[in-house]
Each structure stands twice: as structure tokens, then as C-alpha cells.
Amino acid sequence: MGAILAFETIGFRHGTEAETLSNISFELARGQIAIVSGAAGSGKSALAGLAALALRPSRGRLRMFDVECGEARPALRRMLRRRIGFIGDGLPLLPQLSVRENVALPLAILGVSERETDQRIGELLDWMALTDRADAHPEALSHGERDRVAIARAVVGRPELVVADEPLSSPDAQEAARVCALFERLAELGSAVLVTARMTGWAAGLTARRLRIEQGQLL
Amino acid sequence: MTRLPALLDPRGTGAAMAGFALLAALATLAAAAAFVLGIEATRIETMARTLTVAVADSDPAAQAGRAAAVQAMLRERRDISDVRAVAPRDLAPWIAPGETHPAMIDATLLPGHDEHPLRRALAGQAGVAVFHEGDALAPLATLLRTLDHIAGWIGFATFIGMALIAALTARARIVGGEEALALLDRLGASGPQVAALVRRPALREALFGGIGGLLFGLAAILFIAGALQNADVGAVTAVRIPLSAWAILAGLPPLCVGIAVAAAQATALAIWARRR
């Protein structure tokens, strides 16, 4: 199994502030799930942001899909982002679009045919128990439903890497089981899944590599 | 292929469409004016460069022979573009039937040549006189040519204006759609995909604005043409736009659309490329 994502002595700081992440090194292989847990402010979101190519490392080497992408140009970073599914606060649902349209956005960017788009969205909304809400707009959804729409949008393009930063805002057992099953299914299909979360009890049943981050350092 | 939905705020459509209509009307008028003034300026420039050579002889047969010789000599000259014997019917208003008159030959100088070499060449010939009454039209020809150029520049400026409207509208939409743009950036959208978001509204606004402006401009042209034809405007004898020029005027809306779409897309691509 080749590494999809490789951090090598990565450091990250916002501007001139102290480093949020220091000497982060780890690899994530195809079909692997990794859960990084840590307290608030420990650097989880920065780690997820780097893995989703939303942030650039201050030092170290970041390799993704066998491409050196720490200093990659914006156009290359955008091309690589098409292969990543990101779930997190940085990517809100667009209020002017329905659930179906929000979920279809990555497919439009990937240039998927309308027929295949309809098919994939139908299956995914069914899986995420959102079929009845397909034409609703985000403001009409509950927190849990919004989480599921964001997850559906992240995975609809069958990304090779899924980065989930606190994917569930208020997980109940049914929701957690659904999301864990989805991540396991994605891993079976060959995707790598990186989950960062403060509380990871909801993912206790997930077969995953477990890492802990404290004060910007992986333990 | 699934297209990105209309993610950007459509505000400003009415203002952009009105701007395109106004400029398209102005472009139509400027183009029509340029055509008419160009044709008129060329006609009057030709008249201003035309000299009349009169060949007189008491023997009509000898006069005809000498006139033919002068015509042949004029055709040989490299500073003359056109030689034409004035037909008797053209002299009819001034000459009574049966009255004898000199043979008249119109000779048009090529642009940039003066009349003195021709006058010198004909000076030694008895019974030959050269008249250059058209010289008085030269200032009018210059004025019409200047107005023709001004109309052309106004037409060009309207296209710059259309490009500016399209670019500013696209920029406003992109700045106003920051949330959607940030999301597209994170999802890995390409420059052409983002450009498509501003292309569709720009195309619609420029097309409808351009057609509206063209129709308004054509109505104004017909009104002005009618007014000029009813008035006695002297040297400007008739306002006639050739068929080919009407075809060019009909091409203004597509041109308007092309300029608007190109400007909107270029703006979107430039903004997207600067985004890191």
C-alpha cells in the first residue's frame, strides 16, 4: 500500500505566532483510517487544514499522491484538492443551493455526467437518510442533517483522501454508526481517511490507527 | 456534463443590460455615421481633386480630334486616376440646344498630387483651358473625413465601454460571491469553471442589451436619415447606407456579446489566478 499522505517534520505557524504544529511526521496509506484526537487548541484543525491543502506548512515536507505540495502553485493545489474530500467548519453549505445541489458541486467540478451525478447523489442521499430533504435548503435542516450533507458532499466525488475535522457536531448513536460505516466503506474502496476530533467515543467501533496530538505535537 | 449552478449573486443585471443597450445604440449610430461620412468624404474628396479641361476649336471635327488627343495624353499621366469626357447631357442645363461649346474632359488627380504639373503640361496648347472649381470643396472634404474618423473613434470607445461594464460587473459578482468562491477554491474548481459563472450572465446581458441598443440605434438612424433627406443639406446630397454596412450593423450584437464575454471571463480568470 503506497502512502497517499506523508507529513515529514512538518511545522506550521499562523504569521509570526508560535508554532501551532511542530515536527509532525506520519503517513497515511491507501485504505487506511487514522483518528487524531486532542484537546481544543492542540492543533487538530491545523493538521486537518494542512492535509486538505487549505493551509501551507511553514517548514517540513508535505507529500500527497506522490506530489510535493508544500510549495505547490495554486493551480496544482486546486487540482490535488479535487482528489480530497474535506469535512469541517471551513466549508459551509451554500445557503442558496438545495441539499442536492450542494452535494453535486464536487461532481460538477470533476466534470461528471448528469446521469452519473443523479445516480451517485440518489445513492448517497439514500445512504445518509437525506432523500426526503434533497430539495430543502440548508437553513431548513437540523445540525445533524447539515453534518450529513457536508459529509455527503465530501465523499460524493469518491476522493482518494477524506479529511474529516470534527465531522459530527452532536453525534447520536445512529448518526455515529452511519458515519463509521461510511468511512469503513470508503477505506474498503481504497480511500485514506483522516479524522480529527476532540471526542472520539462515537468512533470507538471503527478499525483505525489512533493518534493523539498535544500542544502541536503528535504522540 | 453537470454544470455548476448559478452561484453568484445576479444583482446588477438590469444596470449592466441598460449600459450595454446604451453603448450598443451609440455604437450603431457611430458606425452608421462613419459609413455615411466616409462615403460622403470620399465623394467630395474626388470632386475636390477633379479638374475640368476645356478644348475649344472653331472646327467641330478638329475640336473632337484635339479633345481625343488631350484625353489620350491625360490617360498616360501617372498623377491622374480617372479621365472622363463630359457627356452632352451633363451640360444640358447650361447649354442651349444647337449651341456650340468646347469639349469638356474631367480629370481626377490621384490623392497627394497637385494640379500644377498638369496645368504646365497643357499650358502651351492653344484653345485648351483648365478649371479647378472643385478646389473649393477641399475644406468640406477635410471636415467630413475628420468627422468620419471621430465617429470611428466613438464606435471604438463604445466597445471599450462595453468591455469595462462586463469586467466591472464580473468583478462585483465575484467579490460579492466570496463565500461561494472560497468553497469552489477548496473543492478544486478550475479557472475556466469559475469564468463560466460570470460568462453566462454576461452573455445574457450583452445579448439582450446589444439587441435592444441596435434596435434603438436603427430607429434613430432612420429618423435622422428621414430628417436629412427632407432638409436641403447642400453637398451632402443623400444619406444612404450600403447593404454591406447594414450587415455590419447587424453584427453589432454578436460583437457586443463577444466583447462582454471575453472581458468578463478575463476578469474572472485574473481574479482567480491571483487567489492563493
Side-chain angles (χ1 to χ4, degrees), chain A residues 52 54 56 74 78 81-82 86 90-92 94-97 105 108-109 111-114 117 153, chain B residues 1-8 179-180 182-190 193 272-273 275-276:
Chain A
R56 286 177 184 270
R78 285 185 188 124
R81 281 181 200 145
R82 290 181 210 172
F86 181 77
L91 287 189
L94 291 180
Q96 68 269 41
L97 302 184
L105 276 179
I109 288 169
V112 173
S113 71
E114 284 190 31
T117 296
R153 186 181 62 188
Chain B
M1 209 160 70
T2 306
R3 286 197 322 182
L4 283 173
L7 295 174
L8 302 179
E179 187 185 23
L183 177 63
L184 292 180
D185 191 15
R186 292 287 297 275
L187 294 176
S190 65
Q193 286 173 327
W272 194 245
R275 195 183 182 100
R276 295 189 62 81

Side-chain angles (χ1 to χ4, degrees), chain A residues 5 25-29 32-37 193-195 206-212 218-219:
Chain A
L5 174 67
S25 296
F26 78 96
E27 287 189 354
L28 193 58
Q32 192 174 28
I33 301 174
I35 300 176
V36 180
S37 61
V193 181
L194 175 66
V195 181
L206 206 55
T207 307
R209 180 178 163 201
R210 292 174 191 273
L211 302 163
R212 181 146 185 87
L218 272 183
L219 304 178

Side-chain angles (χ1 to χ4, degrees), chain B residues 134-237:
Chain B
D135 202 25
L137 292 172
L140 176 62
T142 304
L143 173 66
L144 290 175
R145 185 60 70 193
T146 304
L147 291 174
D148 173 31
H149 289 159
I150 289 172
W153 279 108
I154 289 173
F156 180 71
T158 60
F159 294 128
I160 302 279
M162 287 179 200
L164 272 176
I165 288 178
L168 292 174
T169 309
R171 186 175 179 278
R173 286 186 177 138
I174 286 176
V175 170
E178 175 53 32
E179 187 185 23
L181 267 278
L183 177 63
L184 292 180
D185 191 15
R186 292 287 297 275
L187 294 176
S190 65
Q193 286 173 327
V194 172
L197 295 177
V198 296
R199 183 173 64 227
R200 281 173 240 148
L203 192 149
R204 192 171 51 244
E205 289 156 5
L207 183 64
F208 290 117
I211 291 173
L214 176 71
L215 294 177
F216 183 81
L218 291 179
I221 288 169
L222 293 176
F223 174 78
I224 292 168
L228 283 176
Q229 279 178 335
N230 289 335
D232 180 7
V233 289
V236 182
T237 53

Side-chain angles (χ1 to χ4, degrees), chain A residues 4 7 14-15 18 25 32 34 53 55 61 74 93 113 116 127 131 135 137 139 187 214:
Chain A
I4 279 189
F7 279 54
H14 288 285
S25 296
Q32 192 174 28
L53 296 183
L55 302 173
R61 291 181 67 199
L93 302 176
S113 71
E116 191 177 345
W127 174 283
T131 305
D135 296 320
H137 283 252
E139 73 270 11
E214 280 180 17

Side-chain angles (χ1 to χ4, degrees), chain B residues 56-99:
Chain B
D57 198 298
S58 54
D59 177 8
Q63 178 174 297
R66 289 183 60 203
V70 169
Q71 273 196 61
M73 184 273 275
L74 291 173
R75 287 203 174 92
E76 290 297 312
R77 292 186 64 84
R78 304 180 73 172
D79 57 350
I80 289 179
S81 63
D82 186 46
V83 176
R84 180 177 70 92
V86 179
R89 66 173 178 279
D90 293 337
L91 298 170
W94 297 281
I95 309 287
E99 190 180 341

